[in-house]
Amino acid sequence: MIYLDYNGSTPVAPEVRDAMLPYLGPCFGNPSSTHSAGTAMAAAVEQAREQVGNLIGAKPEEIVFTSGGTEANNLALKGVAHAFGSRGRHMIISAIEHPAIVQPCRYLESIGFEITRVGVDRYGLVDPQDVNQEIRENTILISIMHANNEVGTIQPIAEIARFARQSNVLMHTDAAQSCGKIPVSVEELGVDMLTLAGHKFYSPQGIGALYIRSGLELESLHHGAGQERNQRAGTEPVPAIVALGAASALASKQCHAKRMQDLRDRLHSGLHEALGNRIKLNGHPELRLPNTLSISIANCSGGTLLAGLPELCASTGAACHGRTRQISDTLAAMGVSEESAAGTLRLSVGRYTKEEEIDQAVAILVAALDRTA
């Protein structure tokens, strides 16, 4: 099996697994308990909170653990809506957001909020001036993803955040795809909230976090005993939280961006050499994640192609809606035709990808396309 779907999910790193294992065995207890077993669990949670904070340049107390990126996004959007809805009921997002942003916004529209969707250029890039022009007196939140999950385009979040601050509007970014791949700093980005998803950078599925700037209080989605600064009630899943902390520490000290970019470019070059103008790059040629390659192949069905290649794990689009046949919102917003979108592959490399796997993937794809030509 050749795995080229690291944007979909990553394996658990051995270092992360080793950090997590004791909390699946001899180390257990409720972090809210005051006895020694409980306080040991609470200490492990706080260490992980510090590790996550260090990854993005945040204070430990600004990190709220969630079940993943989807819950973090829901907390950001709905938490702001219910906490600040009396001040205004207008929000701004981009036309290429992940469903974990799109669907909560559709829910908010159903209860009376207005959502403006700002378009992108042919590279999937948002123009900060377009966002600024949509800000109104009743705008309470702007939420623009840091890096797109399908084509990898990195957005000018810092510029957009400056416009938000000038208008006293809160700023959130979904950084699920960028954290662990490129440097991410909440101070440099200037955001009030930021979403992380553990399984995108070598932690288990089912754990994530939301950075919430000090002093900002959201309305909780979960009401209970008041864990996580009263922002997310429920007994903390200590093993998963420890794993997220370990993954954050690993990402802080080991940057694989250059190696991933070399592998990605090797993959692109190999396919281009064999297929020539039959392939077209989607996304910005420079301002994109170092591990992500989205290409459209002429006269090809991406879904049919991959269905006949069980040895190759890749995606035709975002994994969260990869089983649908319709053109993705991202490709549609970028102006990609339905025919080109149908032949789109998302190939994403990671920490454990090898050069020989890249070469094998090129050979496999080219051979399969030759058979169907």
Side-chain angles (χ1 to χ4, degrees):
M1 182 183 76
I2 300 173
Y3 189 82
L4 294 179
D5 195 25
Y6 278 81
N7 280 12
S9 196
T10 60
V12 177
E15 300 92 332
V16 173
R17 180 197 61 216
D18 292 345
M20 181 185 188
L21 278 177
Y23 297 89
L24 295 172
C27 301
F28 67 95
N30 190 322
S32 297
S33 299
T34 57
H35 50 64
S36 59
T39 56
M41 294 302 100
V45 169
E46 294 313 308
Q47 180 184 10
R49 202 184 306 278
E50 182 175 354
Q51 291 169 319
V52 175
N54 288 341
L55 177 63
I56 59 173
K59 303 171 187 174
E61 60 269 22
E62 295 176 314
I63 303 300
V64 173
F65 291 116
T66 67
S67 63
T70 294
E71 185 188 335
N73 285 340
N74 272 263
L75 176 56
L77 294 169
K78 296 176 185 176
V80 166
H82 294 302
F84 296 91
S86 60
R87 198 181 82 187
R89 299 176 74 82
H90 176 242
M91 296 181 179
I92 301 170
I93 65 173
S94 80
I96 61 169
E97 296 298 313
H98 189 275
I101 292 289
V102 174
Q103 294 303 326
C105 283
R106 286 179 179 166
Y107 160 76
L108 291 173
E109 286 177 314
S110 75
I111 60 172
F113 284 82
E114 187 176 358
I115 309 296
T116 295
R117 294 162 176 83
V118 176
V120 296
D121 65 15
R122 63 193 179 101
Y123 299 118
L125 200 60
V126 175
D127 187 336
Q129 289 290 349
D130 289 347
V131 178
N132 188 39
Q133 291 174 7
E134 297 294 344
I135 297 176
R136 312 172 187 171
E137 288 187 3
N138 67 334
T139 305
I140 57 174
L141 177 67
I142 299 170
S143 180
I144 307 290
M145 61 172 29
H146 189 200
N148 183 261
N149 49 301
E150 294 187 48
V151 300
T153 299
I154 300 171
Q155 304 297 340
I157 298 300
E159 296 177 55
I160 297 170
R162 280 195 290 272
F163 286 127
R165 285 195 301 275
Q166 291 170 7
S167 300
N168 196 30
V169 174
L170 293 172
M171 181 75 200
H172 166 255
T173 188
D174 178 354
Q177 285 294 345
S178 56
C179 284
K181 296 188 180 86
I182 59 175
V184 174
S185 165
V186 294
E187 288 300 319
E188 291 180 6
L189 293 175
V191 295
D192 299 291
M193 295 166 287
L194 180 144
T195 290
L196 302 92
H199 77 109
K200 303 297 186 181
F201 60 105
Y202 310 96
S203 182
Q205 297 165 351
I207 186 65
L210 179 67
Y211 156 78
I212 305 175
R213 176 181 49 77
S214 292
L216 175 59
E217 294 293 330
L218 308 180
E219 179 63 36
S220 176
L221 303 183
H222 300 266
H223 300 97
Q227 293 91 343
E228 298 298 300
R229 282 175 39 200
N230 290 311
Q231 297 287 259
R232 207 271 187 181
T235 302
E236 297 92 337
V238 180
I241 288 174
V242 167
L244 182 62
S248 298
L250 190 62
S252 295
K253 67 181 181 181
Q254 293 184 10
C255 181
H256 294 265
K258 177 62 168 63
R259 179 176 175 273
M260 288 192 297
Q261 183 171 330
D262 289 344
L263 291 170
R264 179 202 70 189
D265 292 347
R266 184 185 185 99
L267 178 61
H268 190 193
S269 297
L271 291 170
H272 188 268
E273 183 177 335
L275 301 173
N277 293 331
R278 191 178 174 188
I279 69 169
K280 174 183 174 294
L281 176 70
N282 298 312
H284 199 282
E286 298 175 356
L287 300 176
R288 60 186 164 119
L289 293 173
N291 79 314
T292 304
L293 177 65
S294 173
I295 55 170
S296 293
I297 306 173
N299 304 315
C300 168
S301 166
T304 301
L305 177 66
L306 292 182
L309 300 173
E311 69 273 33
L312 181 63
C313 297
S315 175
T316 56
C320 296
H321 45 86
R323 294 185 184 278
T324 62
R325 292 291 182 181
Q326 64 190 40
I327 181 172
S328 78
D329 291 340
T330 294
L331 296 178
M334 291 167 56
V336 177
S337 69
E338 288 191 21
E339 182 181 0
S340 292
T344 295
L345 299 181
R346 182 188 69 179
L347 307 163
S348 48
V349 303
R351 180 188 297 263
Y352 305 114
T353 307
K354 300 179 177 65
E355 282 190 2
E356 53 265 34
E357 291 179 314
I358 295 295
D359 296 339
Q360 290 168 8
V362 170
I364 290 169
L365 286 168
V366 170
L369 288 164
D370 284 345
R371 288 194 299 271
T372 59

